[in-house]
């Protein structure tokens, strides 16, 4: 798929090593500085709050400017934030407030990085290669961010609180160097004159254009709704997984850690077969299978009482979740015009994190009132009803033609052109 794609993969994998290290080190750092559950929870909240605050704006900005340079700038800012945190840790001046602020700033820069980077792949490979390209990117995410990074982060934190963050700085800055090696600079299709100067329209106008296009496009709209609802149902039981594992399944801390990595193992196994699946099974059938397995996963987790059974279920979950994530991203990228890729991707991510927030709140309340298995029952019923409602629509989503090489048509084109300089 070309040298540019290889540099993109190398940059993505490298930055995910740093993020995976911080995934374990950041909570450990906060927990070492305070025993307050509220402050610990705030540390976790800072990871997704920037998406809710700035996600739509980041998508609009990604559609205005040179996307590769936005990724480089965002990663450089992330590196500077973590480097400052390392200095405070080394000098002994780090406080819980400073750590929370650094986490928020890092997360904010990450929103802009992810919004811009999600648009690069469709600009580098053919539409028919998007599935394999996304699979290779996701493989790096699973290995570096979910499987290898967290244990490495915990080990380095035991040696010294600043070591994992120093490694994170090196990884993020190396990612900047790697993505700078892309020989051609992908830019949104606004034309040479517009690329050299900021558009005259307000950012909120661009956001409104993207949302209206999404509302008028039934396949993409349905896909975003599915992702939103299934993230609500998924996050509800996941929010109390640590209590479910330790108190209901009696697995202890090590067993809980095994549960959190089991899904990554399943995802890695799925990468070995994705190419075959894409060639031999239709996306519509794969999407229905994945969503059906999600419903069955919730039901099974509500019924089982053995830790080993939960581990098996989560390995399967990781496998089909990887397939679903790769397919849904590929389908969305194929159906969205190049000039709207950033905005629609950001709406999708706001839906992901918004659904997680809603689900986490519901899961905690449901578990508090009805017990630790009740969130799984809630997820089973909610996901099951949603699957029935969208079952027929899935065929329309996957049958829609790719528009990556086309411009907007009809009212959507007129609206975008009217709001561009």
């Amino acid at each position: 798929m070309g040298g540019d794609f290889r540099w993109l993969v190398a940059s993505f994998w490298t930055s995910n090593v740093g993020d995976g290290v911080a995934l374990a080190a950041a909570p450990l750092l906060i927990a070492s500085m305070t025993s307050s559950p509220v402050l610990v929870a705030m540390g976790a909240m800072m990871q997704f709050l920037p998406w809710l605050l700035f996600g739509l704006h980041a998508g609009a900005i990604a559609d205005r400017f040179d996307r590769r340079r936005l990724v480089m700038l965002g990663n450089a800012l992330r590196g500077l934030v973590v480097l400052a945190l390392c200095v405070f840790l080394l000098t002994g001046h780090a406080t819980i407030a400073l750590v929370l602020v650094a986490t928020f700033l890092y997360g904010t820069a990450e929103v802009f990085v992810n919004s811009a980077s999600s648009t690069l792949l469709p600009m580098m490979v053919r539409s028919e290669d998007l599935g394999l390209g996304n699979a290779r990117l996701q493989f790096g995410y699973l290995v570096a961010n979910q499987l290898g990074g967290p244990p490495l982060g915990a080990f380095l934190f035991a040696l010294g609180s600043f070591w994992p963050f120093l490694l994170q700085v090196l990884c993020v800055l190396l990612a900047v160097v790697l993505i700078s090696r892309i020989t051609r600079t992908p830019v949104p299709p606004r034309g040479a004159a517009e690329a050299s100067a900021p558009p005259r329209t307000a950012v909120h106008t661009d956001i409104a254009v993207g949302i209206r296009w999404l509302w008028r496009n039934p396949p993409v709209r349905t896909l975003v709704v599915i992702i939103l609802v299934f993230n609500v149902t998924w996050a509800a039981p996941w929010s109390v997984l640590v209590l479910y594992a330790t108190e209901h399944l009696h697995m202890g801390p090590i067993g809980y850690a095994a549960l959190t990595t089991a899904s990554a193992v399943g995802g890695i196994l799925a990468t070995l077969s994705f190419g075959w699946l894409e060639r031999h099974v239709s996306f519509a059938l794969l999407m229905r299978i994945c969503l059906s397995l999600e419903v069955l996963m919730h039901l099974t987790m509500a019924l089982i009482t053995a830790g080993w059974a939960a581990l098996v279920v989560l390995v399967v979950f990781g496998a089909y979740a990887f397939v679903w994530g790769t397919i849904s991203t590929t389908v969305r990228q194929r159906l969205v015009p190049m000039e709207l890729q950033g905005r629609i991707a950001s709406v999708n991510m706001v839906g992901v994190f918004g659904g997680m927030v809603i689900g986490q709140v519901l899961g905690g309340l449901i578990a508090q009132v009805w017990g630790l298995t009740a969130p799984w029952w809630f997820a089973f019923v909610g996901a099951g009803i949603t699957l029935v409602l969208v079952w027929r629509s899935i065929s329309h989503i996957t049958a829609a033609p790719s528009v990556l090489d086309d411009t907007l048509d009809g009212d959507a084109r007129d609206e975008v052109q009217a709001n561009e300089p």
Side-chain angles (χ1 to χ4, degrees):
M1 288 184 280
D4 285 347
F5 173 73
R6 289 192 290 272
W7 288 120
L8 176 65
V9 169
S11 175
F12 184 84
W13 287 15
T14 302
S15 64
N16 268 279
V17 172
D19 290 342
V21 167
L23 193 64
L28 289 171
L29 177 62
I30 294 174
S32 69
M33 303 176 75
T34 178
S35 59
S36 169
V38 174
L39 291 176
V40 173
M42 284 184 63
M45 182 183 66
M46 293 301 175
Q47 298 177 14
F48 54 75
L49 181 60
W51 272 107
L52 303 182
L53 296 177
F54 309 117
L56 297 179
H57 293 79
I61 290 174
D63 286 338
R64 284 173 176 248
F65 302 109
D66 185 320
R67 290 158 172 173
R68 184 195 64 158
R69 293 184 179 179
L70 284 174
V71 175
M72 294 170 61
L73 176 61
N75 274 331
L77 292 175
R78 289 203 299 167
L80 290 176
V81 169
V82 181
L83 182 60
L85 177 61
C86 289
V87 172
F88 281 105
L89 289 173
L90 282 170
T91 58
H93 292 93
T95 64
I96 184 63
L98 186 144
V99 173
L100 291 176
V101 170
T103 303
F104 178 78
L105 293 176
Y106 185 91
T108 300
E110 188 172 33
V111 169
F112 288 86
V113 169
N114 289 347
S115 294
S117 62
S118 67
T119 67
L120 293 180
L121 182 64
M123 305 184 85
M124 294 181 179
V125 303
R126 297 171 301 177
S127 177
E128 57 266 32
D129 291 330
L130 280 172
L132 184 58
N134 279 307
R136 291 180 179 175
L137 291 175
Q138 286 300 310
F139 177 80
Y141 169 80
L142 289 168
V143 173
N145 190 290
Q146 299 291 297
L147 193 62
L152 178 59
F155 171 75
L156 291 175
F157 186 84
L159 299 179
S161 60
F162 67 92
W163 284 113
F165 301 104
L166 181 60
L167 176 60
Q168 186 183 18
V169 171
L170 296 176
C171 289
V172 172
L173 296 182
L174 177 58
V176 175
V177 175
L178 291 170
I179 205 167
S180 71
R181 298 299 303 273
I182 293 177
T183 54
R184 60 182 179 85
T185 304
V187 294
R190 290 180 177 272
E194 293 86 356
S196 62
R200 292 192 295 268
T201 56
V203 171
H204 65 80
T205 302
D206 287 359
I207 294 173
V209 171
I211 292 176
R212 281 194 287 269
W213 181 91
L214 175 64
W215 182 254
R216 296 170 183 173
N217 189 288
V220 182
R221 183 183 68 221
T222 303
L223 182 61
V224 171
V225 170
I226 291 173
I227 291 172
L228 170 64
V229 176
F230 270 78
N231 268 281
V232 171
T233 56
W234 170 81
W238 224 258
S239 65
V240 294
L241 182 65
V242 61
L243 297 177
Y244 172 84
T246 56
E247 297 182 13
H248 178 72
L249 299 179
H250 307 290
M251 299 180 69
I254 296 179
Y256 167 67
L259 282 181
T260 60
T261 58
S263 59
V265 174
I268 292 172
L269 294 176
T271 63
L272 303 177
S273 59
F274 184 81
W276 184 92
L277 289 172
E278 187 178 28
R279 291 190 301 271
H280 295 87
V281 186
S282 69
F283 271 13
L285 179 57
L286 284 174
M287 293 177 79
R288 289 190 174 113
I289 291 174
C290 290
L291 295 181
S292 299
L293 288 173
E294 177 85 352
V295 175
L296 293 175
M297 185 269 288
H298 294 313
L299 175 62
T300 305
M301 293 293 280
L303 294 173
I304 62 176
T305 58
W308 65 266
L311 286 171
V312 173
V313 170
L314 289 187
V315 170
V316 176
F317 161 76
Y320 75 74
F322 163 82
V323 174
W324 164 263
T326 302
I327 291 176
S328 62
T329 300
T330 300
V331 170
R332 188 193 72 242
Q333 289 172 338
R334 287 174 177 171
L335 300 183
V336 177
M338 199 69 73
E339 58 266 43
L340 289 173
Q341 287 277 343
R343 278 166 278 184
I344 303 306
S346 68
V347 172
N348 181 76
M349 289 304 298
V350 170
V352 168
F353 285 95
M356 289 174 60
V357 172
I358 296 171
Q360 287 171 343
V361 172
L362 289 175
L365 293 174
I366 292 171
Q368 183 71 32
V369 176
W370 289 290
L372 293 175
T373 60
W376 294 107
W377 288 109
F378 162 78
F380 166 66
V381 175
I385 293 174
T386 303
L387 179 57
V388 171
L389 294 176
V390 303
W391 186 267
R392 294 183 62 185
S393 301
I394 292 175
S395 295
H396 300 296
I397 295 173
T398 57
S402 173
V403 298
L404 280 182
D405 299 325
D406 300 329
T407 57
L408 293 175
D409 54 12
D411 295 336
R413 181 201 290 120
D414 295 338
E415 187 172 15
V416 170
Q417 292 177 345
N419 286 293
E420 289 182 348

